[in-house]
Amino acid sequence: MQETDLYPPVKAFLEAQGYEVKGEIQDCDVVAIRGDELPVIVELKMSFSLALVLQGVARQGISDDVYLAVPKLGGGRKRRQSILGLCRRLGLGLMLVRSAPNSFVDVLLDPGVYAPKQRTARKGRLLREFQHRVGDPSMGGGNKRPVMTAYRQDALRCAMLLRRDGPTKAAEVAKTTHVLKAASILQRDVYGWFERVKRGIYQLSPKGEAALETWADVVSGLELPD
């Protein structure tokens, strides 16, 4: 199968809507004209790629009605959603095309102006994490260690107190560290740092001791009231 195999079904699809269609016009794979309307431009590729997106963006200098056409997206539902989101943001249309003998064209997305809606809940979570995190413990672009979140910093504060004071009531940990969710952190024990001695009382586990050494650079920047 070649890119030229995608042309006949796209041409037939557009002609059925009253367009006159021709191929390879001024570097455009497909150009369709109907009356005085803006030309419809379709770029054909055997797979979705950055090269195809760049072609589509370049064609937007000629017309607002630009489609990208591929036989399949591949990569599963998450990648498909990402591709649709990218095309929507760029104002590009997207077609799936099957060639003969069972030719068809499925328009997944029409070109249009992208007007994003801010997701206030996600923005709120981002701002809360930014404000609550102490210092800048995680280097942008990736790190060999897990990301040092505000939650992990709170867990480290709890671990620091237990190392200093030994087995302690969860309520006292919360009061001394000023970590309001200390009881939940100790009970859930997401990282395996804590051990329940008896009801409401916790101590530091060996894994918690190791974590304080692993994160020694972060611990040094966390304040623990006397």
Side-chain angles (χ1 to χ4, degrees):
M1 190 175 177
Q2 300 177 350
E3 287 179 20
T4 51
D5 295 323
L6 305 179
Y7 179 70
V10 171
K11 178 180 174 74
F13 174 77
L14 292 170
E15 285 180 336
Q17 299 177 59
Y19 288 95
E20 181 181 0
V21 183
K22 297 182 181 180
E24 294 300 328
I25 305 292
Q26 293 292 307
D27 295 328
C28 299
D29 290 341
V30 184
V31 176
I33 302 292
R34 182 172 63 186
D36 295 330
E37 298 176 14
L38 285 172
V40 172
I41 298 173
V42 185
E43 290 299 325
L44 310 173
K45 278 286 184 291
M46 294 307 299
S47 62
F48 192 90
S49 64
L50 176 59
L52 176 60
V53 171
L54 293 176
Q55 276 187 326
V57 170
R59 302 302 176 254
Q60 287 176 318
I62 303 171
S63 174
D64 291 332
D65 292 334
V66 179
Y67 288 85
L68 310 180
V70 293
K72 61 181 180 179
L73 296 181
R77 180 171 174 271
K78 188 173 181 180
R79 182 172 187 269
R80 180 187 177 102
Q81 289 178 333
S82 296
I83 289 173
L84 285 169
L86 174 63
C87 291
R88 190 175 290 113
R89 286 173 179 271
L90 295 176
L92 294 167
L94 184 62
M95 297 177 174
L96 289 185
V97 184
R98 179 176 293 170
S99 60
N102 299 312
S103 300
F104 79 88
V105 173
D106 183 12
V107 178
L108 301 181
L109 185 67
D110 287 312
V113 177
Y114 180 63
K117 294 181 180 179
Q118 285 201 354
R119 300 183 179 181
T120 55
R122 291 181 63 184
K123 183 174 72 173
R125 289 195 297 271
L126 180 145
L127 292 176
R128 285 193 297 273
E129 173 66 26
F130 185 92
Q131 291 163 0
H132 190 59
R133 191 180 298 181
V134 176
D136 185 21
S138 295
M139 185 176 294
N143 199 316
K144 291 182 179 180
R145 297 189 300 184
V147 173
M148 177 51 64
T149 62
Y151 183 92
R152 196 184 295 269
Q153 287 181 331
D154 282 346
L156 282 173
R157 288 190 184 92
C158 294
M160 290 163 62
L161 182 83
L162 294 178
R163 180 173 65 178
R164 188 188 75 182
D165 297 350
T168 308
K169 289 183 178 180
E172 188 62 31
V173 174
K175 180 181 178 181
T176 305
T177 62
H178 303 305
V179 176
L180 299 180
K181 296 181 179 180
S184 173
I185 291 172
L186 295 170
Q187 290 163 10
R188 293 179 62 200
D189 192 19
V190 173
Y191 308 121
W193 295 352
F194 312 110
E195 294 176 347
R196 184 173 178 268
V197 178
K198 57 183 179 180
R199 184 177 178 84
I201 298 178
Y202 294 85
Q203 67 181 10
L204 194 62
S205 72
K207 193 171 182 180
E209 290 279 5
L212 289 174
E213 296 303 319
T214 300
W215 297 102
D217 55 322
V218 178
V219 168
S220 64
L222 298 176
E223 294 182 2
L224 190 63
D226 295 330

